[in-house]
Amino acid sequence: MNVELFIARRIHFSPDGGKQATPPAVRLAMAGIALGLAVMILSVAIVTGFKKEVRNKVIGFGSHIQLTNFDNNASYETQPVVVSDTLAGLLRAVPGVRHVQPFATKPGILKTDEDFQGIVLKGVDENFDWSFFARNLKEGSVFTVTPEKSTTDVLISRTLADLLNLHTGDSFLTYFVQDDVRARKFRISGIYETGFVDYDKLFVLTDIKQIQRLNGWEKDQASGVELLVSDYGRLDEVTEEVDSAIGETHDRFGNTFYVRSVKELNPMIFNWLDVLDMNVVIILVLMLAVAGFTMISGLLIIILERTNMIGILKALGENNTRIRKIFLYVSFFLIGKGMLYGNVVGIALCAVQACFRVVKLDPAVYYLDAVPVDLNIGWLLALNVGTLAAAMLMMLGPSYLITKISPAKTIRFE
């Protein structure tokens, strides 16, 4: 029989609650643990959700990995590469690559009768993965691209539509400045809204054959190839494998391929997202410190109130180690109950935000229209285990107070 556990259970679960000072101290300690864990759950859920949402929006506009002409500059007016069936097959054979799609970009000026706006026309073919834009489609439908026939349908953002007073089914002219100015008329088949304003007001999706004709490219030429990977966690590894698979490959015009991941294409955004991890670490440390010190004060009060019991146990032959175990068990019960409340509150608040989007954000500043949350069972378990381990380690120090209690003095003055 575990005598220490039996005594600890009697102390913690006693119906009379012990002396009058004990219940407030116990409630305060549990409240500290619950509040700390709830704040940690919210912090991690919001930061991971924010990073995931922003990352997915950037990837939705530009894929995980891009292959372009090595001679390209930083603009959207690109030098073409030949996207042959051999190249596409070579890329699909790389482990971790789940989708391959050519693309082309061309800057232009979208003009209506009242206003105009600079845009980037992004051309896609029949292999394009529409899942991202389909999720964010607000009006109309995505257009269909076929190998045989070119379409003038386009997909524009809600930002552009509101700015230029355009609606689904409307037509507009776009002007392209080359050796001479060219104009093309497009029809809006659908309107999307991602909340990523910097990209929403820039990209208009169309048939890749429109850009090929404007630039005088052959039908197998494009600005590059976009690759989607199966596991974002292996992005760097897959990028290296793609680079190795391409090697010194050239297209039939002698152009060299340049392989870059979305992190390399958007370093400022991803460096900013990495900085958010430091904020989470600071919050976790502060909340653990607050919860730990609250728990320490609660344990010290419980020990001081039980000095007579400690003296009697010592007089009966119990050593300091076994008596310390009793109060560590009591601490475990208090921490466990506080963590239970903290999990309930934290997860409930995350669920409410995920379902009802109560807390709104300004998309122009945060790229999102509401605070995102991402609850993952893996980090949730890790957070609970880490909190329990850290709190129990912090209990070891105050439990040494038991060694300073003299049985003769405590029994005599009770």
Side-chain angles (χ1 to χ4, degrees), residues 297-359:
S297 63
L299 179 60
L300 288 174
I301 292 173
I302 294 172
I303 291 174
L304 291 174
E305 289 180 345
R306 300 283 175 170
T307 52
N308 180 252
M309 185 196 78
I310 294 170
I312 293 173
L313 289 173
K314 285 188 175 184
L316 292 174
E318 286 283 0
N319 58 39
N320 288 324
T321 301
R322 298 185 67 178
I323 298 174
R324 286 178 60 211
K325 284 178 64 178
I326 294 173
F327 289 92
L328 289 175
Y329 277 128
V330 173
S331 301
F332 178 81
F333 294 145
L334 294 176
I335 293 169
K337 190 177 291 186
M339 288 178 60
L340 176 62
Y341 295 147
N343 276 286
V344 170
V345 173
I347 294 173
L349 290 174
C350 289
V352 169
Q353 178 62 23
C355 294
F356 303 105
R357 304 169 70 85
V358 177
V359 183

Coordinates of all heavy atoms in Angstrom, one line a residue, residues 297-359:
S297 N 3.5 29.2 -3.6 CA 2.9 29.9 -2.4 C 1.8 29.0 -1.8 O 1.6 28.9 -0.6 CB 2.3 31.2 -2.8 OG 1.3 31.1 -3.7
G298 N 1.0 28.4 -2.7 CA -0.1 27.5 -2.2 C 0.5 26.3 -1.4 O -0.1 25.9 -0.4
L299 N 1.5 25.7 -1.9 CA 2.1 24.5 -1.3 C 2.7 24.9 0.1 O 2.6 24.2 1.1 CB 3.2 23.9 -2.2 CG 3.9 22.7 -1.6 CD1 2.9 21.5 -1.2 CD2 5.0 22.2 -2.5
L300 N 3.4 26.1 0.1 CA 4.0 26.5 1.4 C 2.9 26.7 2.5 O 3.1 26.4 3.6 CB 4.8 27.8 1.2 CG 6.1 27.7 0.4 CD1 6.7 29.1 0.1 CD2 7.1 26.9 1.1
I301 N 1.8 27.3 2.1 CA 0.7 27.5 3.0 C 0.2 26.2 3.5 O -0.1 26.0 4.7 CB -0.4 28.3 2.4 CG1 0.0 29.8 2.1 CG2 -1.7 28.3 3.3 CD1 -0.9 30.6 1.3
I302 N 0.0 25.2 2.6 CA -0.5 23.9 3.0 C 0.5 23.2 4.0 O 0.1 22.6 5.0 CB -0.7 23.0 1.8 CG1 -1.8 23.6 1.0 CG2 -1.0 21.6 2.2 CD1 -2.0 22.9 -0.4
I303 N 1.8 23.3 3.7 CA 2.8 22.7 4.6 C 2.8 23.4 6.0 O 2.8 22.7 7.0 CB 4.2 22.9 4.0 CG1 4.3 22.0 2.7 CG2 5.3 22.5 5.0 CD1 5.6 22.1 1.9
L304 N 2.7 24.7 6.0 CA 2.7 25.4 7.3 C 1.5 25.1 8.1 O 1.5 25.0 9.3 CB 2.8 26.9 7.0 CG 4.1 27.4 6.5 CD1 4.1 28.9 6.2 CD2 5.3 27.2 7.5
E305 N 0.4 24.9 7.4 CA -0.8 24.5 8.2 C -0.8 23.1 8.7 O -1.6 22.7 9.6 CB -2.1 24.7 7.3 CG -2.4 26.1 7.0 CD -3.6 26.3 6.1 OE1 -4.0 25.3 5.5 OE2 -4.2 27.4 6.0
R306 N 0.1 22.3 8.1 CA 0.1 20.8 8.5 C 1.4 20.5 9.3 O 1.8 19.4 9.3 CB 0.1 20.0 7.2 CG -1.1 20.1 6.4 CD -2.3 19.4 6.9 NE -3.5 19.7 6.2 CZ -4.7 19.0 6.3 NH1 -4.7 18.1 7.3 NH2 -5.7 19.3 5.6
T307 N 1.9 21.5 9.9 CA 3.2 21.3 10.7 C 3.0 20.3 11.8 O 3.8 19.5 12.1 CB 3.7 22.6 11.2 OG1 2.7 23.3 11.9 CG2 4.2 23.5 10.1
N308 N 1.8 20.4 12.4 CA 1.5 19.4 13.5 C 1.5 18.0 13.0 O 2.1 17.1 13.6 CB 0.2 19.8 14.2 CG -0.1 18.9 15.4 OD1 -1.0 18.0 15.3 ND2 0.7 19.0 16.5
M309 N 0.8 17.8 11.9 CA 0.8 16.5 11.3 C 2.2 16.0 10.9 O 2.5 14.8 11.1 CB -0.1 16.5 10.0 CG -0.4 15.1 9.4 SD -1.1 15.3 7.7 CE 0.4 15.7 6.8
I310 N 3.0 16.9 10.3 CA 4.3 16.6 9.9 C 5.1 16.1 11.2 O 5.9 15.2 11.1 CB 5.0 17.7 9.2 CG1 4.3 18.0 7.9 CG2 6.5 17.5 9.0 CD1 4.7 19.3 7.2
G311 N 5.0 16.9 12.3 CA 5.7 16.5 13.5 C 5.3 15.2 14.0 O 6.1 14.4 14.4
I312 N 4.0 14.9 14.0 CA 3.5 13.6 14.4 C 4.1 12.4 13.6 O 4.5 11.4 14.1 CB 2.0 13.5 14.5 CG1 1.4 14.5 15.5 CG2 1.4 12.1 14.7 CD1 -0.1 14.7 15.5
L313 N 4.1 12.7 12.2 CA 4.6 11.6 11.3 C 6.1 11.4 11.6 O 6.5 10.2 11.6 CB 4.4 12.1 9.9 CG 2.9 12.0 9.4 CD1 2.8 12.6 8.0 CD2 2.4 10.6 9.4
K314 N 6.8 12.5 11.8 CA 8.2 12.3 12.1 C 8.4 11.6 13.4 O 9.3 10.7 13.6 CB 8.9 13.7 12.2 CG 9.2 14.3 10.8 CD 10.0 15.5 10.9 CE 10.4 16.1 9.6 NZ 11.3 17.2 9.6
A315 N 7.6 11.9 14.4 CA 7.7 11.2 15.7 C 7.4 9.7 15.6 O 7.9 8.9 16.4 CB 6.7 11.8 16.7
L316 N 6.5 9.3 14.6 CA 6.2 7.9 14.4 C 7.2 7.2 13.5 O 7.0 6.0 13.2 CB 4.8 7.9 13.7 CG 3.6 8.3 14.6 CD1 2.3 8.3 13.8 CD2 3.5 7.3 15.8
G317 N 8.2 7.9 13.1 CA 9.3 7.3 12.4 C 9.4 7.6 10.9 O 10.3 7.0 10.2
E318 N 8.5 8.4 10.4 CA 8.6 8.7 8.9 C 9.8 9.6 8.7 O 10.0 10.5 9.5 CB 7.3 9.4 8.5 CG 6.1 8.5 8.4 CD 6.1 7.7 7.1 OE1 7.1 7.9 6.3 OE2 5.2 6.9 6.9
N319 N 10.5 9.4 7.6 CA 11.6 10.3 7.3 C 11.2 11.4 6.4 O 10.0 11.5 5.9 CB 12.7 9.5 6.6 CG 12.3 8.8 5.3 OD1 11.5 9.3 4.5 ND2 12.7 7.5 5.1
N320 N 12.1 12.4 6.2 CA 11.8 13.6 5.4 C 11.4 13.3 4.0 O 10.5 13.9 3.4 CB 13.0 14.5 5.4 CG 13.2 15.2 6.8 OD1 12.2 15.5 7.5 ND2 14.4 15.4 7.2
T321 N 12.0 12.3 3.4 CA 11.8 12.0 2.0 C 10.3 11.5 1.8 O 9.6 12.0 0.8 CB 12.7 10.9 1.5 OG1 14.1 11.4 1.6 CG2 12.5 10.6 0.0
R322 N 9.9 10.6 2.6 CA 8.5 10.1 2.5 C 7.5 11.2 2.8 O 6.4 11.2 2.2 CB 8.3 8.9 3.4 CG 9.3 7.7 3.0 CD 9.0 6.5 3.8 NE 7.7 5.9 3.5 CZ 7.3 4.8 4.1 NH1 8.0 4.1 5.0 NH2 6.1 4.3 3.7
I323 N 7.7 12.0 3.8 CA 6.8 13.1 4.1 C 6.7 14.1 2.9 O 5.7 14.6 2.6 CB 7.2 13.8 5.4 CG1 7.1 12.8 6.5 CG2 6.2 15.0 5.6 CD1 7.6 13.4 7.9
R324 N 7.9 14.4 2.3 CA 7.9 15.3 1.1 C 7.1 14.7 0.0 O 6.4 15.4 -0.7 CB 9.4 15.5 0.7 CG 10.2 16.4 1.6 CD 11.6 16.5 1.0 NE 11.6 17.1 -0.3 CZ 12.5 16.8 -1.2 NH1 13.5 15.9 -0.9 NH2 12.5 17.4 -2.4
K325 N 7.1 13.4 -0.2 CA 6.3 12.7 -1.2 C 4.9 13.0 -1.0 O 4.1 13.1 -2.0 CB 6.6 11.2 -1.2 CG 8.0 10.8 -1.9 CD 8.2 9.3 -1.8 CE 7.2 8.6 -2.6 NZ 7.5 7.1 -2.6
I326 N 4.4 13.0 0.3 CA 3.0 13.3 0.6 C 2.6 14.6 0.0 O 1.6 14.7 -0.7 CB 2.7 13.3 2.1 CG1 3.0 11.9 2.7 CG2 1.3 13.8 2.4 CD1 2.9 11.8 4.2
F327 N 3.4 15.6 0.2 CA 3.0 17.0 -0.2 C 3.3 17.2 -1.7 O 2.6 18.0 -2.4 CB 3.8 18.0 0.6 CG 3.2 18.1 2.0 CD1 3.8 17.4 3.0 CD2 2.1 18.9 2.3 CE1 3.3 17.4 4.3 CE2 1.6 19.0 3.6 CZ 2.2 18.2 4.6
L328 N 4.2 16.4 -2.3 CA 4.3 16.4 -3.8 C 3.1 15.8 -4.4 O 2.7 16.2 -5.5 CB 5.6 15.7 -4.2 CG 6.9 16.4 -3.9 CD1 8.1 15.6 -4.2 CD2 7.0 17.8 -4.6
Y329 N 2.6 14.7 -3.8 CA 1.3 14.2 -4.3 C 0.2 15.2 -4.2 O -0.6 15.3 -5.1 CB 0.9 12.9 -3.5 CG 1.6 11.6 -3.9 CD1 2.3 10.8 -3.0 CD2 1.6 11.2 -5.3 CE1 2.9 9.7 -3.4 CE2 2.2 10.0 -5.7 CZ 2.8 9.3 -4.7 OH 3.4 8.1 -5.1
V330 N 0.1 15.9 -3.1 CA -0.9 17.0 -3.0 C -0.7 18.0 -4.1 O -1.7 18.5 -4.7 CB -0.8 17.6 -1.6 CG1 -1.7 18.9 -1.5 CG2 -1.2 16.6 -0.5
S331 N 0.5 18.4 -4.3 CA 0.8 19.4 -5.4 C 0.3 18.8 -6.8 O -0.2 19.5 -7.6 CB 2.3 19.7 -5.5 OG 2.8 20.2 -4.3
F332 N 0.6 17.5 -7.0 CA 0.2 16.9 -8.2 C -1.3 17.0 -8.4 O -1.8 17.3 -9.5 CB 0.7 15.4 -8.3 CG 0.2 14.7 -9.5 CD1 1.0 14.8 -10.7 CD2 -0.9 13.8 -9.5 CE1 0.6 14.1 -11.8 CE2 -1.3 13.2 -10.6 CZ -0.5 13.3 -11.8
F333 N -2.1 16.7 -7.3 CA -3.5 16.8 -7.4 C -4.0 18.2 -7.8 O -4.9 18.4 -8.6 CB -4.2 16.4 -6.1 CG -4.0 14.9 -5.8 CD1 -3.8 14.5 -4.4 CD2 -3.9 14.0 -6.8 CE1 -3.6 13.2 -4.1 CE2 -3.8 12.6 -6.5 CZ -3.6 12.2 -5.1
L334 N -3.4 19.2 -7.1 CA -3.7 20.6 -7.4 C -3.4 21.0 -8.8 O -4.2 21.7 -9.5 CB -3.0 21.5 -6.4 CG -3.4 21.4 -4.9 CD1 -2.6 22.3 -4.0 CD2 -4.9 21.7 -4.7
I335 N -2.2 20.7 -9.2 CA -1.8 21.0 -10.6 C -2.6 20.3 -11.6 O -3.1 21.0 -12.6 CB -0.3 20.7 -10.8 CG1 0.6 21.5 -9.9 CG2 0.1 20.8 -12.2 CD1 2.0 21.0 -9.8
G336 N -3.0 19.1 -11.4 CA -3.8 18.3 -12.3 C -5.2 18.9 -12.4 O -5.7 19.1 -13.6
K337 N -5.8 19.3 -11.3 CA -7.1 19.9 -11.4 C -7.0 21.3 -12.1 O -7.9 21.6 -12.9 CB -7.7 20.1 -10.0 CG -9.1 20.5 -9.9 CD -9.7 20.5 -8.5 CE -9.7 19.1 -7.9 NZ -10.4 19.2 -6.5
G338 N -6.0 22.1 -11.8 CA -5.9 23.4 -12.4 C -5.7 23.2 -13.9 O -6.2 24.0 -14.7
M339 N -4.9 22.2 -14.3 CA -4.6 22.0 -15.7 C -5.9 21.5 -16.4 O -6.2 21.9 -17.6 CB -3.5 20.9 -15.9 CG -2.1 21.5 -15.6 SD -0.9 20.2 -15.8 CE -1.0 19.8 -17.5
L340 N -6.7 20.8 -15.8 CA -8.0 20.4 -16.3 C -8.9 21.6 -16.6 O -9.4 21.7 -17.8 CB -8.7 19.4 -15.4 CG -10.1 19.0 -15.8 CD1 -10.1 18.2 -17.1 CD2 -10.8 18.1 -14.7
Y341 N -9.0 22.5 -15.7 CA -9.8 23.7 -15.9 C -9.1 24.5 -17.0 O -9.8 25.1 -17.8 CB -9.9 24.5 -14.6 CG -10.6 23.8 -13.5 CD1 -10.3 24.0 -12.2 CD2 -11.7 23.0 -13.8 CE1 -11.0 23.4 -11.1 CE2 -12.4 22.4 -12.7 CZ -12.0 22.6 -11.4 OH -12.7 22.0 -10.4
G342 N -7.8 24.6 -17.0 CA -7.1 25.4 -18.0 C -7.4 24.9 -19.4 O -7.6 25.6 -20.4
N343 N -7.3 23.5 -19.6 CA -7.6 22.9 -20.9 C -9.0 23.2 -21.3 O -9.2 23.5 -22.5 CB -7.4 21.4 -20.8 CG -5.9 21.1 -21.0 OD1 -5.4 21.1 -22.1 ND2 -5.2 20.7 -19.9
V344 N -10.0 23.1 -20.4 CA -11.4 23.3 -20.8 C -11.6 24.8 -21.2 O -12.2 25.0 -22.3 CB -12.3 23.0 -19.6 CG1 -13.7 23.5 -19.9 CG2 -12.3 21.5 -19.3
V345 N -11.0 25.7 -20.5 CA -11.2 27.1 -20.8 C -10.4 27.5 -22.1 O -11.0 28.1 -23.1 CB -10.7 28.1 -19.7 CG1 -10.7 29.5 -20.1 CG2 -11.5 27.9 -18.5
G346 N -9.2 27.0 -22.3 CA -8.4 27.3 -23.4 C -9.0 26.7 -24.7 O -9.1 27.4 -25.7
I347 N -9.3 25.5 -24.7 CA -9.9 24.8 -25.8 C -11.2 25.4 -26.2 O -11.6 25.5 -27.4 CB -9.9 23.3 -25.6 CG1 -8.5 22.7 -25.5 CG2 -10.7 22.6 -26.7 CD1 -8.5 21.2 -25.1
A348 N -12.1 25.7 -25.2 CA -13.4 26.3 -25.4 C -13.3 27.6 -26.2 O -14.0 27.9 -27.1 CB -14.2 26.4 -24.1
L349 N -12.3 28.5 -25.7 CA -12.2 29.8 -26.3 C -11.7 29.6 -27.8 O -12.1 30.4 -28.7 CB -11.2 30.6 -25.5 CG -11.7 31.1 -24.1 CD1 -10.6 31.8 -23.4 CD2 -12.9 32.0 -24.3
C350 N -10.8 28.7 -28.0 CA -10.3 28.4 -29.3 C -11.4 27.9 -30.2 O -11.5 28.3 -31.4 CB -9.2 27.4 -29.3 SG -7.6 27.9 -28.6
A351 N -12.3 27.0 -29.7 CA -13.4 26.5 -30.5 C -14.4 27.6 -30.9 O -14.9 27.7 -32.0 CB -14.1 25.4 -29.7
V352 N -14.7 28.5 -29.9 CA -15.6 29.6 -30.2 C -15.0 30.5 -31.3 O -15.7 30.9 -32.2 CB -15.8 30.4 -28.9 CG1 -16.6 31.7 -29.2 CG2 -16.6 29.6 -27.9
Q353 N -13.7 30.8 -31.2 CA -13.1 31.7 -32.2 C -13.1 31.0 -33.6 O -13.3 31.7 -34.6 CB -11.7 32.1 -31.8 CG -10.9 33.0 -32.8 CD -11.6 34.3 -33.0 OE1 -12.4 34.8 -32.2 NE2 -11.3 34.9 -34.2
A354 N -12.8 29.7 -33.6 CA -12.7 29.0 -34.8 C -14.1 28.9 -35.5 O -14.2 29.0 -36.7 CB -12.2 27.6 -34.6
C355 N -15.2 28.8 -34.7 CA -16.5 28.6 -35.3 C -17.2 29.9 -35.6 O -17.9 30.0 -36.6 CB -17.4 27.8 -34.3 SG -16.8 26.1 -34.0
F356 N -17.0 30.9 -34.7 CA -17.8 32.2 -34.8 C -16.9 33.4 -35.2 O -17.5 34.4 -35.5 CB -18.6 32.4 -33.5 CG -19.5 31.3 -33.1 CD1 -19.1 30.5 -32.1 CD2 -20.7 31.1 -33.8 CE1 -20.0 29.4 -31.7 CE2 -21.5 30.1 -33.4 CZ -21.2 29.2 -32.4
R357 N -15.6 33.2 -35.2 CA -14.7 34.3 -35.6 C -15.1 35.6 -34.9 O -15.3 36.6 -35.5 CB -14.7 34.5 -37.2 CG -14.4 33.2 -37.9 CD -14.7 33.3 -39.4 NE -13.8 34.2 -40.1 CZ -12.6 33.9 -40.5 NH1 -12.2 32.6 -40.4 NH2 -11.8 34.8 -41.1
V358 N -15.1 35.5 -33.6 CA -15.5 36.6 -32.8 C -14.6 37.8 -32.8 O -15.0 39.0 -33.0 CB -15.7 36.2 -31.3 CG1 -16.1 37.4 -30.4 CG2 -16.7 35.1 -31.2
V359 N -13.3 37.5 -32.7 CA -12.2 38.6 -32.7 C -11.8 38.9 -34.2 O -11.2 38.0 -34.8 CB -11.0 38.2 -31.9 CG1 -10.0 39.3 -31.8 CG2 -11.5 37.8 -30.5

